[in-house]
């Protein structure tokens, strides 16, 4: 008996060891080694870069070529650094703007590749060698720290495939728009290398997956995507729509299919974009519950209906003469059509009424981002003496004594006691439901190629390329919430004027009102969605522009600085876009194609 037990244990251990061996050879060890080898090579090239900068005979071409060499090495494993080292990655390759840290109530000085890029493009600033070396050393220190982190990490198949799909999404939304290559315009070689990095990882799975059709299809699409973009140099003439619909989106869909067919689980993580999303443009790929604290706050059809009833109920205001819908008209994409909102007696307030469509896709509510979630926003508006002048305690008594309200609250929240957070939550759930992704653009991206006409398609390509809209209004929500994790929202300083003639800067401090010691926030405002923009006129935080034509002209000339206004810290580039009148018209046509049905 002992003999058979010994044989059983030996066979069991042998099988377990073989399983572990196969698992490691196909995933964690090979993938991890590839990442570490790549980052080690990058560290070596960064040291070579520093020596080159110090060289007395170095040419501008040599410096730019070495920068590109380093950038391509970084891009090859960006899918991994973005996923496993998100904080370091943001420093390594974030915008050349100081980063806002509200926890510390300060700005952190910009560092990394994009800061270095500004010393090298469009022309090399030879006199800034000290600053170049400083940035090269910062980057190298982060890379070497990253190597140490990866050496200690245990990678899993589900994490790797999650990271690869997010990598494709990043190329789609940020890479090909030139978001992280603003000065060098190296978006094409860098996007090609980012795709090559994903292909390199999939090649490590060849022995396991080569008999799976979706695996071979993904490899084929990646190679075609790389070849298609390899000869591109002009972002203004590139067909972004064709590239996304024929290459990038199919790659993400096939990666998703491969993961299912290979029986690799999807990562269980909470994010706006669902972890099992096959495409950025598919219906229902966003999770409206991701921003809620727990399941008691989650959406349901009954809760949406309750929130809608509250939204249209004038009894939420002090004098029972104003509801939420009084200022957020669904026919105007939940705005009011006024230059600025008005108080209870009709006097103008400070700012334009923002749309509630897609309000659930921001980290920071109101123009100045002062509230973190829609639940807290509802109380702020209801109890504001100029807007509704209501009282939450009074509202609770009202719903408790209304038989229909009382019955619905009890059914939904499973409690005899109605509390303020429940009223907030019901309203917030309704507002978060106002995101249908049902525009002509959405139809087009889901396969209906007749949904957008030629002019609207041209407008999308302008939006992504020459007009640079997509570097602030990110796909597919077209607001300032940064893909692919959608975990933070940006604000911008545009130099918005106080008059349509653009002769004077508006004096609204914006986000700085709540952070007076952070001067970079002066005149900064949340980047709103472009979806349904045709219905939300007038435009900007002060309603200064009546038409989209005026808005496009303002951006075309370079914002406030482009019009000669004194703007201390404008984040919008002041260079003219040089859009022709035909291009402006096409751009506006595309933005109108973002109207929900």
């Amino acid at each position: 008996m002992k003999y058979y037990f010994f044989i059983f244990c030996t066979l069991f251990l042998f099988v377990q060891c073989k399983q572990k061996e196969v698992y490691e050879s196909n995933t964690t060890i090979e993938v991890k080694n590839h990442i570490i080898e790549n980052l080690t090579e990058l560290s070596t090239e960064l040291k070579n870069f520093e020596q080159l900068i110090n060289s007395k005979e170095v040419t501008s071409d040599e410096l730019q070529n070495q920068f590109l060499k380093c950038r391509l090495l970084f891009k090859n494993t960006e899918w991994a650094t973005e996923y496993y080292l998100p904080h370091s990655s943001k420093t390594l390759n974030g915008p050349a703007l100081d980063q806002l840290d509200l926890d510390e109530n300060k700005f952190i000085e910009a560092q990394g590749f994009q800061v270095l890029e500004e010393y090298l493009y469009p022309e090399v600033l030879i006199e800034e060698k000290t600053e170049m070396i400083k940035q090269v050393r910062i980057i190298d220190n982060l890379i070497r720290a990253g190597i140490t982190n990866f050496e200690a990490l245990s990678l899993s198949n589900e994490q790797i495939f999650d990271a690869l799909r997010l990598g494709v999404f990043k190329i789609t939304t940020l890479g090909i728009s030139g978001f992280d290559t603003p000065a060098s315009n190296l978006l094409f070689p860098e996007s090609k290398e980012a795709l090559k990095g994903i292909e390199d990882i999939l090649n490590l799975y060849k022995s396991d997956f080569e008999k799976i059709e979706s695996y071979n299809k993904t490899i084929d699409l990646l190679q075609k995507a790389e070849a298609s973009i390899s000869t591109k140099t002009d972002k203004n003439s590139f067909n972004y729509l064709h590239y996304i619909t024929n290459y990038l989106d199919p790659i993400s869909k096939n990666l998703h299919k491969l993961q299912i067919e290979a029986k690799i689980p999807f990562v269980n993580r909470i994010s706006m974009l669902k972890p099992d999303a096959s495409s950025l443009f598919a219906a229902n790929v966003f999770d409206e519950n991701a921003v809620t604290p727990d399941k008691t706050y989650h959406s349901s059809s009954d809760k949406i209906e309750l929130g809608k009833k509250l939204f249209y109920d004038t009894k939420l205001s002090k004098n029972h003469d104003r509801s939420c819908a009084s200022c957020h008209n669904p026919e105007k994409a939940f705005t009011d059509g006024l230059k600025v909102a008005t108080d209870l007696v009709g006097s103008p307030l400070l700012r334009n009424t923002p749309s509630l469509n897609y309000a659930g896709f921001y980290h920071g509510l109101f123009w100045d981002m002062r509230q973190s979630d829609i639940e807290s926003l509802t109380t702020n508006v209801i109890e504001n003496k100029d807007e509704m002048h209501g009282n939450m305690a009074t509202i609770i008594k009202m719903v408790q004594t209304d038989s229909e309200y009382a019955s619905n609250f009890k059914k939904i929240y499973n409690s005899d006691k109605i509390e303020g957070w429940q009223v907030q939550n019901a309203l917030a759930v309704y507002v978060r439901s106002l995101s249908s992704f049902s525009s002509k653009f959405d139809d087009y991206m889901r396969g209906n190629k007749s949904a957008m006409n030629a002019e609207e398609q041209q407008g999308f390509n302008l939006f992504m390329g020459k007009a640079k809209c997509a570097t602030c209004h990110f796909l597919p929500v077209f607001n300032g919430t940064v893909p692919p994790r959608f975990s933070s929202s940006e604000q911008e300083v545009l130099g918005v004027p106080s008059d349509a003639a653009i002769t004077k800067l508006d004096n609204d401090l914006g986000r700085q009102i709540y952070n007076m010691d952070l001067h970079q926030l002066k005149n900064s405002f949340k980047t709103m969605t472009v979806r349904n923009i045709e219905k939300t006129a007038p435009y900007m935080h002060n309603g200064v522009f009546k038409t989209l034509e005026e808005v496009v002209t303002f951006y075309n000339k370079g914002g406030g600085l482009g019009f000669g206004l004194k703007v201390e810290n404008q984040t919008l580039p002041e260079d003219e876009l040089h859009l022709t009148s035909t291009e402006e018209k096409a751009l506006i046509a595309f933005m109108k194609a973002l109207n929900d049905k």
Side-chain angles (χ1 to χ4, degrees):
M1 190 71 179
K2 290 181 179 178
Y3 173 78
Y4 289 112
F5 179 75
F6 173 77
I7 293 296
F8 173 79
C9 291
T10 302
L11 287 170
F12 177 78
L13 289 172
F14 175 77
V15 171
Q16 289 295 97
C17 289
K18 290 299 288 182
Q19 286 178 341
K20 183 179 180 184
E21 180 182 325
V22 171
Y23 174 79
E24 290 181 338
S25 66
N26 288 330
T27 57
T28 57
I29 289 179
E30 289 186 82
V31 172
K32 184 162 72 171
N33 285 344
H34 172 85
I35 296 167
I36 291 170
E37 288 170 7
N38 181 280
L39 294 179
T40 301
E41 184 179 355
L42 173 54
S43 179
T44 299
E45 291 301 335
L46 286 165
K47 292 179 176 62
N48 292 340
F49 200 178
E50 181 175 342
Q51 292 177 1
L52 195 62
I53 294 170
N54 277 320
S55 173
K56 293 182 179 179
E57 304 298 325
V58 66
T59 66
S60 294
D61 285 346
E62 288 173 327
L63 289 172
Q64 290 179 345
N65 288 338
Q66 184 64 18
F67 175 80
L68 177 58
K69 190 173 187 178
C70 292
R71 284 284 297 184
L72 295 183
L73 283 167
F74 173 75
K75 282 289 178 177
N76 185 272
T77 50
E78 186 180 35
W79 68 268
T81 53
E82 278 280 322
Y83 191 84
Y84 292 100
L85 310 171
H87 182 75
S88 296
S89 185
K90 187 174 182 180
T91 304
L92 277 167
N93 196 32
L97 300 168
D98 295 347
Q99 295 182 28
L100 176 61
D101 186 341
L102 283 177
D103 292 333
E104 298 291 331
N105 195 42
K106 65 179 182 181
F107 273 91
I108 301 171
E109 184 180 1
Q111 300 174 336
F113 274 116
Q114 290 195 46
V115 176
L116 178 60
E117 180 184 29
E118 291 192 341
Y119 295 121
L120 296 166
Y121 297 90
E123 295 179 353
V124 174
L125 304 178
I126 296 293
E127 67 276 11
E128 298 291 351
K129 284 189 174 185
T130 301
E131 287 301 316
M132 290 186 210
I133 291 172
K134 175 184 174 182
Q135 294 305 320
V136 168
R137 289 178 178 177
I138 288 171
I139 295 167
D140 189 35
N141 286 338
L142 288 169
I143 293 300
R144 286 189 286 109
I147 293 169
T148 301
N149 284 327
F150 274 110
E151 287 172 341
L153 280 174
S154 295
L155 311 188
S156 68
N157 283 323
E158 50 262 51
Q159 289 177 339
I160 292 167
F161 271 77
D162 193 39
L164 291 177
R165 269 189 301 117
L166 287 173
V168 177
F169 293 152
K170 179 166 186 182
I171 297 167
T172 305
T173 57
L174 304 179
I176 61 170
S177 73
F179 173 77
D180 54 4
T181 56
S184 65
N185 283 322
L186 293 169
L187 61 153
F188 296 123
E190 291 194 8
S191 294
K192 177 189 174 183
E193 189 60 32
L195 289 166
K196 178 65 165 55
I198 293 169
E199 182 193 351
D200 288 344
I201 298 303
L202 289 180
N203 282 330
L204 299 176
Y205 287 89
K206 184 175 182 178
S207 60
D208 282 341
F209 299 154
E210 62 182 336
K211 294 182 180 180
I212 301 176
E213 183 181 357
S214 56
Y215 171 78
N216 294 302
K217 181 66 173 175
T218 306
I219 295 292
D220 180 61
L221 282 167
L222 282 163
Q223 292 174 347
K224 287 179 178 176
E226 293 161 34
S228 175
I229 208 171
S230 64
T231 59
K232 306 300 181 184
T233 57
D234 181 15
K235 67 176 294 183
N236 294 345
S237 61
F238 185 61
N239 193 331
Y240 297 88
L241 191 60
H242 179 271
Y243 194 73
I244 291 172
T245 55
N246 285 272
Y247 298 114
L248 297 180
D249 198 39
I251 288 169
S252 69
K253 289 176 180 176
N254 276 276
L255 267 176
H256 180 269
K257 186 178 180 181
L258 171 60
Q259 189 166 346
I260 293 172
E261 293 177 342
K263 295 180 172 57
I264 299 173
F266 291 99
V267 170
N268 184 21
R269 56 174 168 79
I270 298 173
S271 64
M272 284 187 181
L273 185 69
K274 294 176 182 176
D276 62 347
S278 63
S279 164
L280 284 169
F281 309 104
N284 303 316
V285 297
F286 287 98
D287 182 4
E288 62 190 60
N289 294 316
V291 296
T292 60
D294 58 58
K295 290 184 178 179
T296 59
Y297 287 79
H298 282 193
S299 175
S300 69
S301 57
D302 287 342
K303 198 180 284 187
I304 291 171
E305 285 303 311
L306 175 59
K308 183 176 182 179
K309 181 176 173 62
L310 289 165
F311 189 85
Y312 286 91
D313 197 335
T314 57
K315 291 193 289 293
L316 269 60
S317 62
K318 182 179 181 180
N319 296 325
H320 298 183
D321 57 358
R322 178 179 278 192
S323 70
C324 303
S326 299
C327 297
H328 296 281
N329 182 345
E331 294 182 2
K332 299 181 185 296
F334 293 88
T335 63
D336 57 12
L338 302 175
K339 186 175 188 292
V340 293
T342 58
D343 65 15
L344 291 167
V345 296
S347 299
L349 295 174
L350 180 64
R351 294 174 184 156
N352 178 261
T353 299
S355 172
L356 295 184
N357 285 141
Y358 302 91
F361 291 92
Y362 298 104
H363 298 278
L365 283 306
F366 294 107
W367 281 99
D368 52 33
M369 306 177 75
R370 66 182 181 272
Q371 294 290 346
S372 60
D373 56 64
I374 300 177
E375 275 81 359
S376 57
L377 175 148
T378 59
T379 302
N380 187 291
V381 172
I382 289 170
E383 296 190 339
N384 186 296
K385 66 180 180 62
D386 292 321
E387 297 188 50
M388 294 180 73
H389 207 182
N391 179 275
M392 189 57 71
T394 303
I395 293 170
I396 292 171
K397 290 179 181 178
M398 181 271 290
V399 296
Q400 284 175 333
T401 55
D402 182 295
S403 59
E404 184 179 353
Y405 271 132
S407 174
N408 286 334
F409 270 98
K410 182 177 181 179
K411 174 186 174 183
I412 292 168
Y413 292 99
N414 195 28
S415 173
D416 291 324
K417 182 182 181 182
I418 300 174
E419 300 180 64
W421 72 268
Q422 296 169 348
V423 176
Q424 291 178 321
N425 178 236
L427 281 165
V429 164
Y430 172 64
V431 171
R432 281 194 284 267
S433 75
L434 305 176
S435 308
S436 65
F437 292 95
S438 61
S439 69
K440 295 199 305 186
F441 167 78
D442 297 297
D443 287 347
Y444 186 96
M445 300 305 287
R446 293 168 193 158
N448 181 6
K449 299 310 178 196
S450 63
M452 289 200 301
N453 62 35
E455 183 181 43
E456 291 161 344
Q457 293 176 40
Q458 180 194 9
F460 174 82
N461 287 328
L462 288 163
F463 192 96
M464 289 291 292
K466 185 176 180 180
K468 301 181 181 179
C469 309
T471 59
C472 293
H473 297 275
F474 308 116
L475 273 63
V477 187
F478 293 94
N479 70 353
T481 301
V482 186
R485 289 186 176 272
F486 299 93
S487 57
S488 63
S489 298
E490 294 190 343
Q491 72 280 325
E492 302 288 345
V493 180
L494 306 175
V496 175
S498 60
D499 59 327
I502 314 179
T503 62
K504 185 179 179 181
L505 185 69
D506 186 80
N507 61 8
D508 189 335
L509 294 179
R511 197 171 183 182
Q512 192 191 28
I513 292 174
Y514 299 95
N515 309 88
M516 288 302 294
D517 52 338
L518 300 179
H519 71 276
Q520 289 107 319
L521 289 178
K522 184 178 179 181
N523 306 124
S524 70
F525 297 91
K526 180 174 69 175
T527 302
M528 297 292 191
T529 183
V530 182
R531 286 181 175 271
N532 296 304
I533 194 168
E534 183 184 15
K535 303 175 184 178
T536 64
Y539 304 103
M540 308 312 228
H541 68 272
N542 57 358
V544 66
F545 298 132
K546 294 180 180 180
T547 67
L548 283 173
E549 285 76 10
E550 290 176 288
V551 174
V552 170
T553 297
F554 176 71
Y555 280 99
N556 196 14
K557 295 294 185 181
L561 285 175
F563 277 91
L565 304 185
K566 184 178 180 182
V567 188
E568 295 177 21
N569 52 330
Q570 183 171 305
T571 55
L572 177 73
E574 63 181 286
D575 301 328
E576 285 193 39
L577 298 172
H578 300 291
L579 297 174
T580 66
S581 58
T582 301
E583 289 172 333
E584 288 185 349
K585 186 172 177 287
L587 184 61
I588 291 169
F590 166 67
M591 289 191 279
K592 291 179 179 179
L594 289 171
N595 288 341
D596 286 321
K597 297 171 186 174

